[in-house]
Amino acid sequence: MMNRLAHTSPLLRTRAYQPLPQNDEDSPPVQLATPRNGPTMRFRYNRFRHQLLHGEFTIVPDESRWLGVWDAIVMVAFAYTGIALPFEVAFLQKMPPVLTLTDYLGYWVFVVDMLVTCMVAFEVPRALTTHHEREPIKIIKHYMDVPFGWFWVDLL
């Protein structure tokens, strides 16, 4: 069984476990491998990387109910910024701590929105139908496209 798996995929290979070493009274304590630095962590990282690059974490707008909620949060942050920023600039010489905190919260909503947008699939027209592009690299290229990419508008 091990020989057959050893030739298929590095993700399926397992290591044979050695018997645990015994401590003598005069020897220093034995350091055992932990999952953080052993093969388990590498397997998790490789699996996560594979899932990320193949679009398993991509948000499809038609299938996500939370994307509408997130869009509403961004609209509230946008409305607050549109109302509060001119008021702060025109009438306040020193910012109260509450307004400073809400301003920073609004700015972080916009930063997180830029990251979320990098994971939202976009529609690609086909002959008679449309399909959603799920590859993260293509999504980011589409988002940062120079003439019509929304990244540059979001950055401002």
Side-chain angles (χ1 to χ4, degrees), residues 29 32 44 54 61 63 66 70 90 94 99 117 120 135 155:
L32 299 176
R44 288 181 185 163
H54 292 305
E63 299 171 4
W66 298 107
W70 178 251
K94 184 179 179 196
L99 283 179
T117 305
V120 175
E135 282 189 47
L155 191 63

Side-chain angles (χ1 to χ4, degrees), residues 17-75:
Y17 289 101
Q18 304 285 333
L20 291 175
Q22 301 298 322
N23 285 340
D24 294 336
E25 293 175 8
D26 297 332
S27 65
V30 175
Q31 296 292 328
L32 299 176
T34 62
R36 289 228 173 255
N37 60 5
T40 305
M41 192 64 185
R42 274 184 264 134
F43 172 75
R44 288 181 185 163
Y45 170 74
N46 288 337
R47 187 178 65 186
F48 174 75
R49 186 170 161 249
H50 175 78
Q51 289 173 336
L52 183 67
L53 291 178
H54 292 305
E56 293 185 33
F57 298 120
T58 301
I59 303 167
V60 179
D62 298 338
E63 299 171 4
S64 175
R65 63 181 178 173
W66 298 107
L67 193 59
V69 173
W70 178 251
D71 287 342
I73 291 171
V74 171
M75 283 191 220

Side-chain angles (χ1 to χ4, degrees), residues 67-100:
L67 193 59
V69 173
W70 178 251
D71 287 342
I73 291 171
V74 171
M75 283 191 220
V76 167
F78 188 67
Y80 169 78
T81 303
I83 293 170
L85 185 64
F87 175 77
E88 292 167 3
V89 170
F91 298 113
L92 299 178
Q93 293 181 1
K94 184 179 179 196
M95 293 282 294
V98 174
L99 283 179
T100 304

